[in-house]
Amino acid sequence: MPMPGLPVQEAAGAAHPLAGTFAEWIWLVPVLPFVGFVINGLLSLVPATRLGPADPSEGGDGHAHVEHAGGTAHDDAHHHPARHPYARLVSLIGPAVLALAFAVTAGIFGVLAGAHAEAPFVRTLFPWIVTGSLHIDAALQVDQLSMVMAMVVTGVGFLIHVFSVGYMQDDPGYPRYFAYLNLFVFFMLVLVLGASYPVLFVGWEGVGLCSYLLIGYWYSDKANADAGKKAFVMNRIGDFGFLVAMFLLFAHLGTLDFVGVGSRASQLTEGGAVVTAIGLFFFLGCAGKSAQIPLYTWLPDAMAGPTPVSALIHAATMVTAGVYLVARSAVLFSLTPVASLTVALIGAITAIFAATIGLKQWDIKKVLAYSTVSQLGYMFIGVGVGAYAAGVFHLLTHAFFKALLFLGSGSVIFAMHRALHHTGSHADAQDMRNMGGLRAYLPWTFGLMWIATLAIAGIPPFSGFFSKDEILASVFARASHSTLADASLLGIPGSALLMVIYVLGLAAALLTAIYMTRMMLYTFHGPNRTGEAERAHLGEAPWVMTGPLVVLGVLSVAGGLLNLPAFMGSLSQTLHHWLEPVTGEAALRITQGEEAHLALGTEGALIGIAVLIAVGGIVYAFMRLKPAVLLPKDQSPEAHGFERVLEHKYYVDEIYDRTVVKPVVGISTRILWKGMDAGLIDGLLVNGSGYLMRGLGWMGARLQSGQVGTYAWVLVIGVLAVLGAFSIS
Amino acid sequence: MIPEALALSAVLFTIGTIGVLTRRNAIVIFMCVELMLNAVNLTFVALSKLYGVTGQVFVVFVMTVAAAEAAVGLAIIIAIFRHGQTVNLKNINLLKG
Amino acid sequence: MADFLASINYNAWVLPVLLALPVLGALLVWSHGALAGSGESSSMTARRMTLWILIAEFVLSAGLWWSLDSASAQWQAVYDRPWIEAWGTRFTVGVDGLSVMMVLLTTFLMPLAILGGWTGVRSRVHSYHALMLLLTTGMLGVFVAKDLFLFYVMWEVMLVPMYFIIGIWGGERRIYASLKFFIYTMVGSLLMLVAIVYLGIQAGAPAGRPTFDYDAIMALNLAPTVTFWLFGAFFLAFAVKVPMFPFHTWLPDAHVEAPTAGSVILAGILLKLGTYGFLRIALPFFPGVAMYPWVRTTIIVLAVVGIVYGSLVALVQPDIKKLVAYSSVAHLGFVMLGIFALTVESVQGALMVMIGHGLSTGALFLLVGIIYERTHTRMIDAYGGIARVVPLFATILTIVALSSIGLPGTNGFVGEFLVLVGAFRTYPGMTVISATGVILAAAYLLWAVQRLIYNPLDKPANAALKDLNWRELGLLVPILAGILWMGVYPRPVLDRMEASVQKLVSDVARNAERQQASMMLGGQ
């Protein structure tokens, strides 16, 4: 029943241990990047000094950057990079606000760690939407989950900002780029720090906006602008689900802030239709934002943006927002086994589906994009089966190694482009068939990317091994004993479903190992295919770019320490315990009150299988793939059969185009606009009544013969008729 | 005396009406209209014997208006004649819609 | 501020002055035109005069923000004088929470609209500006009228200038469009006149002389069948104005043919008169009919159809002005949904959408007008890639489009969110369908924005486009400020409307029950 709700304050009163501490300054964290956005945004309105041709079709945004290797008419201008007059100032402000935000976040993180706060600390800034029984504050929430996310966003965000200083240095739209990037971090922080669903939604849509702007950053290319629009619209489909879930929440609980929902969630019937609908609609939002089936197709296209953007937005932070949302709504999802199972199942299917596509991609960023989709599926398996800490753990390690992989690929593309650029070649700088043997020229990148590859493949002791293993072990444990196992989805018992998910997860891990090794082999091993002239110009990027890679490399190796498996003793399960105040209760509800522990032997066996599969995948790739016989892109033969289907991504984009886009446009044009609007309403009814009046008038005009004599006759007959009528009555 | 006058007036009015309806020449029609007007005048005068002088005042009014009307009407007829070289109403339909 | 306003007795005179000032201004501009001729310098004087009069109008009206008691749901700043005594009509004006923001929106947009047509209107400049001033009085009059006869007179007063503005200064098919606009509106409003006269006679029956006072008519207790017909008459008048599907086809034509300022006013203010009419008259006077299940459901369905239909048709328009026109149909669908869902949140949301749509669609038409003046085409295909030539224009267009899409942080989100979250309680299914409007809005506007300012710059003619000048920047920046302010901190606005909305919702709900208890209508 709707409850007239004032803000639910019971848990966040003045007595909170964080009240009056440094945590009060939490607002500074999002505001700092926003300040950066304002300054850089204003600077971006100053036009770039143009050293190239004055014709705007020649010398504008987007041609002087590194990924336009396929570009056609821009090469003259390439030799005259139009560096922005305020580039130095921007290079300072852009990363500096992030560094400051990171420092503040770290400080508050420390305060939180020392305070042992069980309840979240809510910092209300001002009342936002207040009317009727709706009361939404602009408020930020400090708790264990939000602070972990804020650390990742500001920390990894800072590294990527630094990398961008080098990567984007010659772009004429340099301040605009950093303005967008700062704005993105602002919205991402609002997303993870917001204390209610609507505030989270502000960040949620805001990051979508920045994603749109940054994907289409080089908008002069129609494909890039298309990709940005596609991302925004597909995200909007998800946002529709998010909105409906909020409406349901408000209609049934009367509140939308996390604290209030947490305390009133028990009013919802466990496993009831309402909470299931809420969960499924929220997951529709997640599927949009985190690129899950059926809304994943925008993410590979989003690679049209600059590579650091792909690293920050489309790997480390924004796309994981869906995982964050499920973890944040753990209390709701734990009430609905059906929705939870759906989340896990969709995650598993996405994981394996995207991994198969990743097997046959040639564009180095596309491989990583499908890998991201697949790994996001993994995270949803984790949060779907109620292993919220495991899902968030994988989110963290993935942020490290995937950011490293993307930045590494950026470094490769940077080198490739520079080399191709020197010789004026129009070869594709992102196609792996044009690379090969780069380890000799990019030793640092080579080594660091191998670390990340081993991490993502799940080789111990790299970070990805621990997080993946934790997810798979959780699925396995819950298959035998949990509310999920007792429930059923579409008539299939939950325990069977969970075993299917476990197998799918293993299969996806195998494919991950294979496609990642394939990428490394084709890029760095074997003979070089760039061509003689280009080879001389290949080389490592400047330290401003390699430095962040090294830091991410360290994190990719050591990230596993955050949450070692339970059997490793006192230092283990750090993240798990850390998140307990936020998700612990929900996780326990799913495991029916017990900690889900596997017997040591079982756990050991599971780890053995996982490692075996990962190693097997890498070995298989090394044995089967022959980088030595690969031909450059323009000499490669067309793929056939199933390989062709994979290379075309199962033709999903084409199917969506035929079944959704074209019919909508066709129906709107032909039936609604031309038929209904112009034809029926305007043609028949509006103009029709006009014509009807004109027709009646025409008939009346026929009586008007102009013969005065006729008129006189009519007059006299009329008078006689009236007189006659009178005399009769 | 009054019934005879009213009968005469009715006869004159009917002759005038039939003339207006049947004749084609504008001048003749005009004269028929005058006939109708004067038939009505006769009625007024006759009945003023019963109801007082108001009727006779009306007659003066009608004669004044008829004179004005004759002036305007003849002017229009002349204008129409100049326009179409005819005063036969059959051939005149300037009011056709 | 409130003390100062009280000391000059502001509330007592502000409304009649607001109504009189533009009329006097119109006479002034007209006579100046008659005396000084239509030369260039004389035209410039007319523009300046009009602008300053309207700025004065805005400054004068701004006091309402402080002078009104936002906790009260009653008529305030009432001014009451006898008018035509034999007919029982009085010149009674006043404002309450429902109308105050509409008045401010009108006075805010009018000077900007004048600035928007500063260089676009080159012929008969004096008449144009005089008509604009008359139009201002007409629109304000509708918003503040407390006497129903005055309401009707003002309703017609604003119709005539708009007819001429489209018909004289419009595009190629202006005659068709202006006639369509006029006849469409007239058909509805004549029925409304009949209904108003009937109501006036009924309300005055005890005193033996008609009265058109709002409160007196409100207190009437009419026979159910009669209220049905009266509601029908008002419904038609207002539904045409909104415009609700399927009475909307005048809007695209009128928008496309109208000059820039005409479009801005049409979308920004005129359409709100229809929804305002529902809130002010149709709903409170005839709650029994309006809330009668099948009537209410029909209107809600039409509103939702308007949202989806308007969005889909907007998606495929090649003409940017038509696209915005159809998007207006969709936005006003949200308003109607909010009004007839009848929860405090949804009605507040409807009012927010009305204000927000006034700002963002007004700004969109201004932007279209600005670029049209440079290229003389409204076809989207004629553009592309101009963001690099006109970065300021592109930036502002993007922000305004995002506000129209309803991005959080802009006014569009607050309104749509409130409408939907409120309407979900009474009409969950319909609300879910209309929420798909947010997807379609993103699709049609972003697609249009992409084809306008992104993509390759492949039309050589566009390479030499000039970016915004100071006048254009100056008229857009206030709107941008409003868009962001209402998105980030809408509370002062919501507070000012809250009491009246609460009263409206509870009155209508209560009276509807009472009236329906004695009702034999429709499906029974």
Side-chain angles (χ1 to χ4, degrees), chain C residues 292-333:
Chain C
Y292 201 76
W294 70 262
V295 176
R296 189 182 183 191
T297 310
T298 308
I299 294 175
I300 294 264
V301 168
L302 285 180
V304 174
V305 168
I307 294 172
V308 177
Y309 178 90
S311 307
L312 283 174
V313 177
L315 191 64
V316 293
Q317 294 305 315
D319 178 327
I320 181 71
K321 266 193 158 181
K322 268 202 174 173
L323 188 150
V324 183
Y326 279 106
S327 87
S328 293
V329 174
H331 277 115
L332 272 292

Side-chain angles (χ1 to χ4, degrees), chain A residues 2 45 56-58 60-61 126-134 136 198 201-202 205-206 209 212-213 219-222 225-226 229 232-233 236-237 240 243-244 246-248 250-251 256 664-665 668-669 672-673 676-677 681-682 686-687, chain C residues 176 180 184 245-246 248-249 253 309 312-313 315-318 326 344-345 348 387-388 402 405-408 413-414 417-418 420-421 424-425 432 435-436 438-439 442-443 446-447 449-450 453-456 463 487-491 494 498:
Chain A
L45 295 175
S57 69
E58 287 287 317
D61 302 310
F126 56 88
W128 181 32
I129 304 180
V130 183
T131 180
S133 57
L134 184 71
I136 303 168
F201 191 69
V202 172
E205 288 251 296
L209 163 69
Y212 163 76
L213 292 172
Y219 54 76
S220 299
D221 199 336
K222 183 166 183 298
D226 277 343
K229 184 195 70 206
F232 197 92
V233 173
R236 269 268 157 155
I237 298 175
F240 159 77
L243 280 173
V244 174
M246 282 200 284
F247 302 155
L248 278 163
F250 182 68
L256 287 171
V664 164
V665 171
S668 301
T669 314
L672 295 183
W673 179 28
M676 186 84 173
D677 227 59
I681 299 176
D682 237 15
V686 177
N687 293 341
Chain C
Y176 173 78
K180 199 171 176 183
Y184 243 119
F245 177 88
H248 65 275
T249 56
D253 283 314
Y309 178 90
L312 283 174
V313 177
L315 191 64
V316 293
Q317 294 305 315
Y326 279 106
V344 175
E345 295 86 3
Q348 281 271 34
R388 77 162 54 150
L402 290 170
I405 289 169
L407 193 86
F413 173 73
V414 178
F417 181 76
L418 280 174
L420 294 172
V421 89
F424 191 82
R425 291 210 200 152
V432 171
T436 57
V438 304
I439 304 173
L446 288 187
W447 193 28
V449 165
Q450 180 193 348
I453 61 175
Y454 299 144
N455 288 352
V488 175
Y489 195 59
R491 192 167 181 213
L494 289 170
E498 180 86 11

